[in-house]
Amino acid sequence: LAQHIHWCSRSCAGNMADANGGNHADSEANAVTLVSSASTQLSEPVVQAPTTAILGKQITSGSTGGGSQRTASSAKSTQSALSDRRRRKALADSAPRPWPDDRLYNKRSLFLFNLQSPVRQIAIRMIEWPWWDRKVLIVILMNTCTLAMYDAFDTPDMRACNPAELNIPAGPYGYCNKMGTGKYFPQYMGRDIQDIMGKIFSAYFTVEMVVKVVALGFFLGEKTFLSDGPNWLDAVIVLGGFLDFVPAGTIAIDISALRALRVLRPLRAVNKFPKLKNLVVLLGQCVAKLVTVVGICCFLFLVFGILGVQLYKGTLRGRCFDIETGEVGEDICYYDPMYPTNWSNLEYYWVRKDMVVTGGEHAGGAFLCEPMVSICLQLGENPGRDTVNFDSIGPAAMSIFQVMTLEGWADLCYQIQDAVGYWNWMYFVLLIMIGPFFVVQLFLVVIATRHSELEAEAKAAAEAEMPNGDAETPPEDPDNNKVAPEPENEEETEEGNEETSGKQQVVKKQMSGFKKARFKLKLFAKSELLQNIIMAVILLSTIFMASDGLCEYDPGECSIAQACLFSGQACAQYKGVLEFVNLVFTIIFCFELAVKVAGLGPTKFCRGAGSGMNIFDAIIVASSVVEFQSGLDAGQCFLNYFEGAATEVLSTTWAGANLDHVVTVKDMFGEAAVLAVASIDPMEMAPAWKESLFNIQRILQQDGGWVYNPQIYFFCSGGGGAAVLRAFRLVRLVKFLRNFPEVTKQFKILADAFGSIFALMVLIMIMIFIFTILGMNLLGGMIVGEWPAEDGLLPGQEVYVSIPWDTNGGAPRHGKIHYFDFDNHARAPYKVELEYGGNKGGGGGYDPMVNISVGYALDEWGMIWAATKDEANIGVAVITDYSPRFHFDNLGVAFLTAYQVFTMANWNDDLYDVMGSTSNSIFSFYFYINIVLGNWVLLNLFIAILI
């Protein structure tokens, strides 16, 4: 009876559900009511108590099961309703709507134009045109190229001329437009073309923004131009472009400095790429918290700056002055106003920062001047070209920022110890523990936290958009993870193998001889044997390439790191053997390539599985073949040079040299090859230097006998420039990663994040380029090194030359030293090519405007003889300053300098040069912003993406 009642309840529920259109919850509740009434009527038989107990138990359990079923049914109905709503919404969204779509655009823009306005419809059609964004990217790229053309030395002072004398109208910058610039590009107009192109680009970007504002509206509404955060940056850049149309001198502020905002235009490309835009949006959402972190850093600068001023003001200026001569020492010293009355032991000294003990047994303490000989006075210059000090809060904050970057803090700590005392290291330890180890890491915390939140939000939104299907996922088959299904029995397997082998035998019998050979070659190309052989060869090639090194012919100079394997004349023979072994490897790789191409066929080789690695291998083999002959010549050069006795060389020839002539490198290799190996331009060599280079002899007389000249082996170039391509063979070692699951797993993680990482790398390069152009506009032609140069002035050094009779008012001209000759030009020994003086190609000729300005003092190469300002003579050009290694005078070096600051590697040296050259602390913010945005923000975004 209980089973019958339970069956009735389920049946009634199903029937009611069908009658009510699928409302299982109401139907099942009604069924429970019927069951309860039925159970009450059926509880009257003779055996009342047991029957009632049984029925009650059955009905209770039935009611419980019905409740759980109602819950499941209700959830299922809710999911079905949500799916129906999503489907209806998707159909509504995909339904055709009148153009323009009111879901994408506000009803009015600028309070003037509705969606039916012809002007607004034209603007909407323009921004919806697929080539609209592409055209904008092309214009941004062109504008970037013109920004990169900036030349800091293209000024009226450097290219002064007299337009009236040449009968040429003067340009807006005061020099002649129609004359050549003396450079490869641009050949004409110089900075004028940049000014004109800048106005054209500013006008174009203004029109583009106006079209967008008309189509979208400006700021009132949800879909307006300024409702999208990155468009604020576009608006600022476009408004900054209006400064191009403001004539110089019309307002009191420096327009040229404000025009540097044009360097932000490459950032407009960010809006055109979704991944780049996502990263910028992420950083924009972190701005508020990042500003808080910057505020914490500033508070740290203030606290430690005030403490530093109180403890160390003026101490870094201490120098030892000789009592008799007044000569100033170089080391920072400890200033003691009670000197020398407080000395208890005149033989007790401390030491300087290089830990060279000058007396006593202590190290790292205050450095005291020699008693009764010199006295410490705080009259010297602060370190870092008077940049690093604690004399006031400004320089103190600058010094603390340097410590925060962990660059040069140890030197500063040593200097403070020399000036004050040993225990002052606690100031720096405390600053580093709080600053770089804690506060700077907050940048990573903020960025990583926000990045993880955005990923969680994106994942939740994706899951919410996914429709929930009614079908259940079928259970997994435990055999799905197996590589191949197991056979049902061994007999079937054996029969299958026999059948397969039988078919192969039939196929082989039907093959011709050529097809059989091709089939075997294909099997060999895919075999593990060939792969293992090639891997072994790659490993051997790697070992031999790693064993190459520079020969050291003086055994006393052989370093421990080289293990003295490359000392003596046998090194040349060893290098020759390496060249021939490399040729053997090349032959093996050619054999492998031929087997694969012939076995797989050209089509499968280039388009089949693993075609990418096949094509890469083919390129490497082709490059090895190209360098084959040069490698053979180099091997013969190395091996043949030391053959035979040295005295026999006197009666032999090399490359057609005379029998009675001592063989030189010019005889052996020719002038062009010698200059190529030496990597020296003939223009940058004095005639005497060139002759001495050519006359390097093959043998030398030493201790009454003849020995081989070890310098010759440098001219046996190892395979030429193509030899660099050998290193690409190492890339094939990535095949070994398949044997290391954990390494492969890490590479898969990097591959999954490669899209975001690549976008971040592009963003970093854009930022570095912006700081490059900004540095060229702000600091180009202004940075000079500390005089005198530490290593002297050498060929290739960029210098500034002041010519007394120059009509440009004596402004120093930029140039480059080509060579010097103290024997024949003692009064002015340096041969300098002036900027715009030659044609930058060494082909001769000069800019007539510059030659007129300097009184026709340039030679046919556009060069002039000059002397240094320390040894200047009357009536000669004077070298007043020189450019340091890192500067912003041209695009290449400026990019390297900006990248150096970005990585914080020796960036403080660049800061010292800028501060020493300009004496303007405002330029230090260039370095601060580059480091904070680049190193502390963007590089931390790398970590946030990976974790």
Side-chain angles (χ1 to χ4, degrees):
L1 181 59
Q3 293 178 357
H4 179 71
I5 293 174
H6 183 67
W7 175 83
C8 286
S9 66
R10 299 299 300 276
S11 177
C12 291
N15 295 333
M16 291 179 183
D18 296 337
N20 296 331
N23 194 345
H24 290 273
D26 297 337
S27 303
E28 198 160 334
N30 295 332
V32 171
T33 304
L34 291 175
V35 171
S36 301
S37 61
S39 62
T40 304
Q41 297 175 1
L42 290 173
S43 61
E44 299 177 355
V46 178
V47 189
Q48 186 172 357
T51 305
T52 305
I54 294 173
L55 289 177
K57 183 178 181 181
Q58 294 291 339
I59 293 172
T60 302
S61 63
S63 301
T64 305
S68 61
Q69 291 174 2
R70 286 195 302 273
T71 304
S73 179
S74 300
K76 188 174 181 180
S77 300
T78 304
Q79 293 175 357
S80 178
L82 290 174
S83 299
D84 291 340
R85 285 197 296 269
R86 292 193 187 99
R87 283 193 291 269
R88 286 194 298 269
K89 185 177 182 300
L91 291 174
D93 292 340
S94 61
R97 299 176 65 89
W99 184 89
D101 194 345
D102 56 359
R103 295 169 302 179
L104 302 177
Y105 303 97
N106 294 321
K107 293 182 179 180
R108 282 188 175 275
S109 68
L110 302 177
F111 304 102
L112 297 175
F113 307 105
N114 56 23
L115 290 176
Q116 284 70 40
S117 172
V119 175
R120 190 178 182 190
Q121 288 188 355
I122 293 175
I124 292 175
R125 288 188 184 277
M126 292 177 67
I127 66 174
E128 289 183 350
W129 182 38
W131 273 92
W132 176 264
D133 288 339
R134 302 172 191 171
K135 178 168 55 65
V136 172
L137 283 176
I138 294 174
V139 175
I140 292 174
L141 179 61
M142 295 172 60
N143 187 21
T144 303
C145 294
T146 58
L147 291 174
M149 290 165 51
Y150 179 83
D151 188 353
F153 302 105
D154 191 1
T155 62
D157 293 338
M158 297 298 169
R159 301 194 55 212
C161 67
N162 189 350
E165 180 181 346
L166 299 177
N167 195 21
I168 297 175
Y173 285 94
Y175 53 75
C176 308
N177 285 334
K178 302 301 181 181
M179 304 303 294
T181 62
K183 304 179 74 172
Y184 281 143
F185 180 81
Q187 286 289 340
Y188 298 97
M189 299 180 70
R191 191 181 291 185
D192 279 2
I193 192 173
Q194 287 187 318
D195 183 70
I196 296 171
M197 295 300 295
K199 290 181 172 61
I200 293 174
F201 289 130
S202 297
Y204 174 83
F205 292 134
T206 302
V207 172
E208 180 213 0
M209 191 181 79
V210 170
V211 171
K212 284 188 175 181
V213 168
V214 171
L216 302 175
F218 192 52
F219 63 91
L220 291 180
E222 296 181 354
K223 309 176 185 67
T224 56
F225 180 76
L226 293 182
S227 63
D228 191 4
N231 285 338
W232 283 85
L233 178 63
D234 289 355
V236 172
I237 295 173
V238 171
L239 294 177
F242 291 160
L243 296 174
D244 290 338
F245 301 96
V246 178
T250 56
I251 57 179
I253 61 177
D254 187 6
I255 295 296
S256 61
L258 294 178
R259 285 173 179 168
L261 292 174
R262 292 179 296 181
V263 302
L264 297 177
R265 286 176 180 171
L267 276 179
R268 302 187 76 249
V270 170
N271 273 343
K272 314 304 176 185
F273 300 96
K275 285 190 176 295
L276 280 176
K277 186 176 180 180
N278 293 338
L279 292 177
V280 174
V281 170
L282 167 62
L283 295 176
Q285 294 175 353
C286 296
V287 166
K289 294 183 178 180
L290 290 177
V291 169
T292 303
V293 177
V294 173
I296 296 174
C297 292
C298 294
F299 177 76
L300 189 67
F301 295 158
L302 179 62
V303 172
F304 278 88
I306 294 175
L307 181 61
V309 171
Q310 297 299 319
L311 295 176
Y312 310 127
K313 59 178 178 292
T315 58
L316 295 177
R317 294 181 179 273
R319 297 294 186 276
C320 292
F321 286 78
D322 191 277
I323 297 176
E324 296 182 358
T325 64
E327 184 179 355
V328 184
E330 297 180 357
D331 294 316
I332 296 175
C333 60
Y334 172 68
Y335 172 71
D336 187 356
M338 299 299 294
Y339 174 88
T341 60
N342 63 337
W343 276 85
S344 59
N345 185 359
L346 295 180
E347 296 180 356
Y348 182 75
Y349 309 139
W350 294 81
V351 298
R352 65 192 82 185
K353 64 181 180 180
D354 55 5
M355 301 303 176
V356 177
V357 178
T358 59
E361 299 178 354
H362 295 272
F367 178 72
L368 299 175
C369 300
E370 186 176 358
M372 314 307 294
V373 176
S374 59
I375 184 173
C376 184
L377 299 176
Q378 293 181 350
L379 300 177
E381 186 182 69
N382 287 309
R385 301 185 68 175
D386 206 22
T387 302
V388 180
N389 62 82
F390 293 89
D391 297 346
S392 60
I393 190 63
M398 188 182 303
S399 304
I400 292 171
F401 186 88
Q402 176 182 331
V403 177
M404 291 277 284
T405 62
L406 298 178
E407 191 65 35
W409 76 269
D411 293 334
L412 181 56
C413 178
Y414 296 154
Q415 291 165 353
I416 290 294
Q417 285 182 324
D418 293 343
V420 182
Y422 170 76
W423 293 102
N424 288 273
W425 57 263
M426 291 186 292
Y427 175 88
F428 296 93
V429 171
L430 183 61
L431 175 58
I432 291 174
M433 293 293 291
I434 298 177
F437 292 171
F438 175 69
V439 175
V440 175
Q441 304 308 318
L442 294 179
F443 286 94
L444 173 60
V445 173
V446 170
I447 296 172
T449 302
R450 186 54 190 160
H451 184 269
S452 61
E453 291 175 354
L454 289 179
E455 283 193 339
E457 293 174 2
K459 184 177 180 181
E463 291 178 353
E465 291 295 330
M466 291 178 59
N468 295 316
D470 296 335
E472 296 182 356
T473 303
E476 287 191 11
D477 185 358
D479 292 337
N480 285 344
N481 294 329
K482 296 181 180 180
V483 178
E486 297 180 357
E488 295 183 1
N489 51 58
E490 296 181 359
E491 295 179 358
E492 294 182 0
T493 304
E494 294 177 357
E495 291 176 359
N497 292 337
E498 292 177 359
E499 182 179 357
T500 303
S501 61
K503 290 181 180 180
Q504 290 180 354
Q505 292 177 0
V506 172
V507 172
K508 289 181 179 180
K509 290 180 181 179
Q510 295 176 354
M511 286 183 180
S512 62
F514 175 76
K515 291 184 177 180
K516 287 182 180 180
R518 172 77 180 277
F519 182 75
K520 292 181 179 179
L521 199 60
K522 181 178 180 180
L523 294 179
F524 181 66
K526 294 182 176 181
S527 64
E528 293 186 0
L529 176 62
L530 180 61
Q531 297 297 326
N532 294 334
I533 292 175
I534 295 302
M535 287 299 168
V537 174
I538 293 175
L539 284 177
L540 289 175
S541 176
T542 304
I543 293 173
F544 276 97
M545 282 192 290
S547 65
D548 196 3
L550 181 68
C551 290
E552 191 66 64
Y553 286 93
D554 186 357
E557 298 179 359
C558 181
S559 64
I560 299 177
Q562 294 175 331
C564 297
L565 294 176
F566 298 97
S567 62
Q569 297 180 353
C571 180
Q573 280 89 346
Y574 178 72
K575 294 178 72 69
V577 172
L578 288 180
E579 292 292 336
F580 282 106
V581 170
N582 176 71
L583 298 180
V584 174
F585 290 147
T586 300
I587 296 173
I588 295 175
F589 291 136
C590 290
F591 170 76
E592 178 210 8
L593 179 64
V595 169
K596 286 187 175 181
V597 173
L600 301 177
T603 303
K604 289 186 177 180
F605 181 84
C606 298
R607 297 183 180 179
S611 59
M613 184 59 70
N614 291 338
I615 295 175
F616 178 79
D617 292 346
I619 294 175
I620 299 302
V621 172
S623 64
S624 300
V625 173
V626 169
E627 61 154 355
F628 191 89
Q629 183 60 44
S630 58
L632 183 62
D633 295 339
Q636 291 177 345
C637 177
F638 284 126
L639 292 179
N640 295 337
Y641 180 73
F642 290 107
E643 288 184 357
T647 54
E648 297 177 2
V649 181
L650 293 176
S651 60
T652 59
T653 62
W654 188 302
N658 296 328
L659 293 177
D660 57 349
H661 176 67
V662 177
V663 180
T664 64
V665 293
K666 181 179 178 181
D667 302 323
M668 297 167 60
F669 306 103
E671 291 187 9
V674 172
L675 292 175
V677 173
S679 301
I680 298 177
D681 192 314
M683 280 284 296
E684 299 179 1
M685 297 184 63
W689 290 10
K690 190 184 304 183
E691 192 65 24
S692 62
L693 177 63
F694 291 153
N695 289 333
I696 295 178
Q697 300 179 0
R698 186 185 181 193
I699 59 173
L700 300 174
Q701 190 173 12
Q702 182 177 350
D703 298 333
W706 295 93
V707 296
Y708 296 105
N709 187 350
Q711 294 181 351
I712 299 294
Y713 102 97
F714 285 105
F715 298 93
C716 298
S717 57
V724 179
L725 298 175
R726 301 176 190 170
F728 286 104
R729 296 176 183 171
L730 301 177
V731 181
R732 304 175 73 178
L733 291 173
V734 298
K735 296 181 179 179
F736 285 108
L737 296 178
R738 301 174 184 175
N739 299 323
F740 301 96
E742 290 299 326
V743 178
T744 306
K745 181 179 179 181
Q746 297 301 323
F747 272 98
K748 288 182 178 179
I749 294 175
L750 292 176
D752 294 338
F754 180 76
S756 299
I757 291 177
F758 180 76
L760 179 57
M761 293 177 65
V762 172
L763 183 61
I764 288 175
M765 295 307 296
I766 292 176
M767 194 213 73
I768 295 176
F769 179 78
I770 289 174
F771 276 95
T772 299
I773 304 302
L774 182 62
M776 293 172 63
N777 281 266
L778 296 179
L779 300 170
M782 298 174 61
I783 305 177
V784 295
E786 186 174 10
W787 190 273
E790 183 177 356
D791 299 326
L793 299 178
L794 301 175
Q797 177 71 60
E798 297 182 11
V799 295
Y800 293 87
V801 181
S802 177
I803 304 175
W805 57 89
D806 198 340
T807 59
N808 69 348
R813 293 182 176 273
H814 181 258
K816 184 178 71 171
I817 298 176
H818 274 251
Y819 59 87
F820 52 81
D821 188 354
F822 288 93
D823 297 331
N824 301 319
H825 297 82
R827 297 182 70 250
Y830 295 95
K831 194 67 175 289
V832 181
E833 179 190 6
L834 297 182
E835 189 87 15
Y836 302 106
N839 62 353
K840 293 296 182 184
Y846 50 81
D847 191 331
M849 295 177 293
V850 177
N851 204 24
I852 293 174
S853 178
V854 299
Y856 300 93
L858 303 181
D859 62 8
E860 67 275 13
W861 298 95
M863 299 184 186
I864 190 172
W865 290 98
T868 63
K869 61 183 179 181
D870 297 334
E871 302 174 353
N873 296 295
I874 299 177
V876 298
V878 179
I879 298 176
T880 59
D881 288 295
Y882 69 96
S883 297
R885 183 166 187 171
F886 293 96
H887 51 72
F888 294 95
D889 297 345
N890 57 69
L891 180 64
V893 181
F895 180 85
L896 186 60
T897 305
Y899 189 80
Q900 179 193 15
V901 177
F902 172 83
T903 60
M904 298 194 309
N906 295 329
W907 73 272
N908 52 324
D909 294 335
D910 301 331
L911 175 65
Y912 301 159
D913 289 332
V914 169
M915 297 299 296
S917 304
T918 63
S919 300
N920 191 348
S921 60
I922 195 67
F923 291 120
S924 63
F925 285 92
Y926 170 87
F927 298 89
Y928 303 154
I929 298 174
N930 192 345
I931 291 174
V932 172
L933 291 182
N935 198 287
W936 291 357
V937 175
L938 290 183
L939 287 189
N940 282 327
L941 190 53
F942 261 114
I943 303 175
I945 292 174
L946 293 178
I947 63 177

